[in-house]
Amino acid sequence: MRGEKLSDAIVYDKLNLLKKDFFGYIERNTEKVDANLPVFYGHVISALENSFPDIPDESHDEFIDHITFEVLNASRNSSDVAYINKVIQNALRLKKRKDAETGVDIVVGLKLVKAGDYAHAIDFLKKYRNLDTKIGTTLAYCYYALSLREFKKTDTSEERQRPGEMELLARETMLSLARTPAPINQVKQLELDDPSFLEKIFWQMIFLGLEWFPSERWFIEAGLENAAVTHDTEMRKRLLDISSERFYNDIHFLRVMFYYYLDSRDAGGAAGVLNHLIRQYPDDLEPIYLGLKFSLLTKKKITYHSFRKLATSKGMPAPVIYLFDVAFNLLNREKVDAFNCIAEFEKEFPQLHYYITTLNYIADDFFSPDEMQVKKAKKALLDSIDQYCIEELRKISSLSKISR
């Protein structure tokens, strides 16, 4: 392969094939690998560098992390700290980046958590708690799991009511996450193994956090963000139910709830949230904007014109209203009215000519006989309008964030 320049997609596929080959070898020869770690890792680096001489350092190190996790996952010695340190040293020798130990530490820490060795896992994970929320919640879980053992020998009801040292550390870790939030699902090492055990830990600690600190909204925010990424509708609904009880008038949670009903095609639920938003924030444009979006879903003229009239009276930027006129007519297959709206939009706002050209192309596709083309046109239209309008509203709104 030397001298060839492969596309990123081909490199990714071939890396995966090489990784699977090594996984299979590890599974079939676990004891042999354990007994000859330097030799095994020598084969790994030789195969990697011969097959991918120009691989980026990040991808190179990630490959080593994947192999290391599999070695630990397969070995009978993975609970032996001396063995773990030996694996770490062999892996680190092959890595290129300055932060080479980060990936290995996280890999080892997660493996120890999965094996139930929480005390040693803490040593590997604690300095990375702010890299990713799930590392932070996993660290808190380690403390909490150890806390459950604190009272095993002297488990009187009076003693059990008082949190021990480990539970206090778990609480402190969760509160620290809430005070200085970390990104979620950003650290690639979290994807090395079946993520289900991390998901269970994450949700357990989020709900414990809500139990320990009932007024701390971050636990709900983090949970909703993760539920959106993992498409967990059950957890999304559960958290929204909690937010509706504890933060009834919070515009952020009301916004998320509105989109939940919208995604679920629950017009009644979405309308209820909208009415509440408009009552609570009568001088804010965002609820009206959401109402206009809602009317695109219902396609009912009386609903659309009601929100349009309200938008005009509250000072909604004119280009936003024009764009919704275009969208409403296109979605209702009113071809003449739609193109008349686009022409009027161009006349009123010549400075937006660049956008008019795009709208015309998208509008043509709305009346294509190809249903797939129509579907793509709808998505492109709604996404582009959303992006443009949100930016316009941000310029004039007192809200720090108007988004989905």
Side-chain angles (χ1 to χ4, degrees):
M1 287 177 62
R2 288 189 179 277
E4 293 185 38
K5 188 66 176 178
L6 301 176
S7 71
D8 290 343
I10 294 175
V11 168
Y12 179 80
D13 288 342
K14 290 185 176 293
L15 264 176
N16 270 337
L17 286 175
L18 183 60
K19 182 176 69 176
K20 288 178 181 178
D21 286 344
F22 272 112
F23 281 9
Y25 178 83
I26 293 166
E27 184 180 357
R28 295 188 302 271
N29 302 277
T30 303
E31 292 183 5
K32 186 177 178 181
V33 171
D34 284 354
N36 300 278
L37 284 170
V39 174
F40 170 73
Y41 273 101
H43 288 314
V44 171
I45 197 64
S46 177
L48 183 61
E49 292 186 346
N50 285 334
S51 299
F52 305 96
D54 301 316
I55 190 174
D57 289 354
E58 182 180 6
S59 299
H60 175 282
D61 286 3
E62 283 175 16
F63 186 87
I64 302 300
D65 289 340
H66 281 270
I67 298 300
T68 301
F69 193 96
E70 192 62 22
V71 168
L72 290 169
N73 206 39
S75 176
R76 295 177 180 178
N77 302 312
S78 58
S79 59
D80 183 340
V81 176
Y83 167 79
I84 290 172
N85 286 327
K86 189 176 179 181
V87 173
I88 290 172
Q89 292 308 312
N90 278 277
L92 287 179
R93 284 191 297 105
L94 306 183
K95 299 186 76 174
K96 292 185 175 183
R97 302 176 77 191
K98 292 181 180 179
D99 60 348
E101 74 282 355
T102 300
V104 175
D105 283 350
I106 292 172
V107 164
V108 172
L110 295 179
K111 171 59 186 172
L112 289 169
V113 172
K114 196 173 182 184
D117 188 352
Y118 306 118
H120 285 111
I122 288 169
D123 293 334
F124 287 98
L125 296 178
K126 60 185 176 183
K127 60 182 175 181
Y128 305 111
R129 70 178 75 188
N130 293 323
L131 280 184
D132 191 293
T133 290
K134 285 186 178 175
I135 294 179
T137 54
T138 302
L139 176 64
Y141 174 79
C142 289
Y143 289 127
Y144 180 69
L146 290 173
S147 78
L148 299 178
R149 303 172 184 174
E150 284 185 297
F151 297 95
K152 272 192 172 181
K153 293 182 180 179
T154 57
D155 192 9
T156 68
S157 58
E158 184 180 348
E159 285 178 322
R160 195 64 193 92
Q161 286 174 1
R162 297 195 306 269
E165 180 185 356
M166 289 294 112
E167 184 173 324
L168 289 174
L169 286 170
R171 295 186 184 207
E172 180 185 328
T173 302
M174 293 302 292
L175 194 57
S176 174
L177 283 171
R179 295 290 181 263
T180 55
I184 298 180
N185 299 313
Q186 294 297 307
V187 176
K188 293 182 180 179
Q189 283 78 9
L190 299 183
E191 302 170 6
L192 287 175
D193 194 31
D194 175 12
S196 60
F197 84 101
L198 278 175
E199 284 298 300
K200 290 177 184 176
I201 288 172
F202 172 82
W203 288 118
Q204 181 175 351
M205 297 315 298
I206 286 295
F207 288 111
L208 273 174
L210 285 167
E211 180 183 321
W212 290 334
F213 310 104
S215 62
E216 182 52 68
R217 52 177 287 142
W218 177 83
F219 298 116
I220 299 178
E221 291 176 348
L224 286 171
E225 183 179 345
N226 186 61
V229 171
T230 58
H231 308 289
D232 192 332
T233 54
E234 182 182 342
M235 284 301 186
R236 188 182 180 193
K237 181 63 169 64
R238 186 174 171 185
L239 288 167
L240 286 172
D241 288 342
I242 294 173
S243 73
S244 66
E245 294 175 3
R246 300 187 188 182
F247 307 98
Y248 182 69
N249 293 325
D250 189 293
I251 193 168
H252 170 75
F253 294 131
L254 288 170
R255 181 194 302 127
V256 177
M257 187 175 291
F258 168 78
Y259 279 112
Y260 170 79
Y261 285 126
L262 211 61
D263 292 343
S264 304
R265 294 293 189 268
D266 184 344
V273 175
L274 272 177
N275 289 332
H276 183 60
L277 275 166
I278 291 170
R279 285 197 304 271
Q280 290 298 318
Y281 302 94
D283 299 319
D284 207 307
L285 289 177
E286 183 180 11
I288 302 170
Y289 173 72
L290 294 178
L292 288 169
K293 292 185 71 172
F294 172 71
S295 67
L296 295 184
L297 175 65
T298 65
K299 297 182 183 179
K300 293 180 178 178
K301 290 187 178 181
I302 187 170
T303 303
Y304 176 71
H305 287 294
S306 174
F307 279 110
R308 191 187 189 284
K309 183 178 179 181
L310 189 58
T312 303
S313 68
K314 293 292 184 179
M316 183 75 76
V320 171
I321 296 176
Y322 272 88
L323 282 173
F324 271 101
D325 286 345
V326 172
F328 187 76
N329 282 308
L330 284 174
L331 289 169
N332 279 286
R333 316 289 289 180
E334 300 286 352
K335 186 173 184 178
V336 174
D337 289 343
F339 281 100
N340 284 340
C341 284
I342 293 174
E344 193 173 350
F345 186 28
E346 183 174 21
K347 179 181 177 182
E348 290 293 324
F349 309 103
Q351 71 275 19
L352 297 177
H353 179 72
Y354 66 92
Y355 194 15
I356 306 298
T357 303
T358 302
L359 281 177
N360 275 312
Y361 276 110
I362 292 175
D364 282 335
D365 285 348
F366 260 81
F367 303 97
S368 165
D370 184 344
E371 284 301 316
M372 184 57 68
Q373 194 169 347
V374 174
K375 187 176 180 179
K376 289 179 179 179
K378 287 181 180 179
K379 186 177 187 314
L381 176 72
L382 295 175
D383 286 351
S384 68
I385 288 178
D386 210 25
Q387 291 165 15
Y388 175 82
C389 293
I390 284 173
E391 190 57 37
E392 285 299 298
L393 292 180
R394 276 179 179 155
K395 294 175 183 177
I396 62 172
S397 177
S398 59
L399 286 174
S400 60
K401 184 179 181 182
I402 299 178
S403 68
R404 187 165 176 169

